[in-house]
Amino acid sequence: MTDPRPTRRDLMKPVQLLGFGFAAAAFGGLITLVSMGFFQDLDGDERMHVIVVSLIVAGIAFIATLVIIALLMLAVDPAQVVKPVDRAVLLPESEDAGDTGDADAEASDPRP
């Protein structure tokens, strides 16, 4: 029950990132197959054209997903990679979990 909290490195393993890329590629390829009518009555040349286009779309989706994830990982401070994650990542450190900040907004409201 007292498992250590995961670090950012544990949350962003390369195998999982490649899995996201493969999932995006499979989704893009399948959508392309369905939208171009692969599962309908087509002859051999039309089926081959649909397969080639879906493989191209899948490759583009795979590469684009990896590039986007790599660029997003560049935004993470390397010192933060080994720190344990024990709260929401995007919240500032000074903000408490129970404080919504509405009291400050009402106090500074200049309207009567």
Side-chain angles (χ1 to χ4, degrees), residues 33-98:
L33 284 175
V34 170
S35 65
M36 291 187 71
F38 180 76
F39 300 108
Q40 296 176 357
D41 191 22
L42 299 175
D43 63 355
D45 290 337
E46 291 173 340
R47 281 190 187 271
M48 187 58 66
H49 177 70
V50 170
I51 290 173
V52 168
V53 171
S54 68
L55 288 175
I56 291 171
V57 169
I60 291 171
F62 178 73
I63 292 170
T65 302
L66 290 183
V67 167
I68 290 169
I69 291 174
L71 288 173
L72 289 174
M73 287 180 66
L74 286 175
V76 176
D77 184 22
Q80 298 289 327
V81 172
V82 293
K83 288 185 179 179
V85 178
D86 58 350
R87 60 178 178 74
V89 178
L90 296 177
L91 287 178
E93 291 183 20
S94 63
E95 185 174 325
D96 293 333

Side-chain angles (χ1 to χ4, degrees), residues 3-41:
D3 294 333
R5 294 185 177 129
T7 62
R8 289 182 195 255
R9 179 170 292 173
D10 294 335
L11 295 175
M12 294 185 257
K13 294 190 185 256
V15 174
Q16 293 172 348
L17 300 177
L18 288 175
F20 285 137
F22 282 125
F27 180 75
L30 183 65
I31 294 300
T32 305
L33 284 175
V34 170
S35 65
M36 291 187 71
F38 180 76
F39 300 108
Q40 296 176 357
D41 191 22

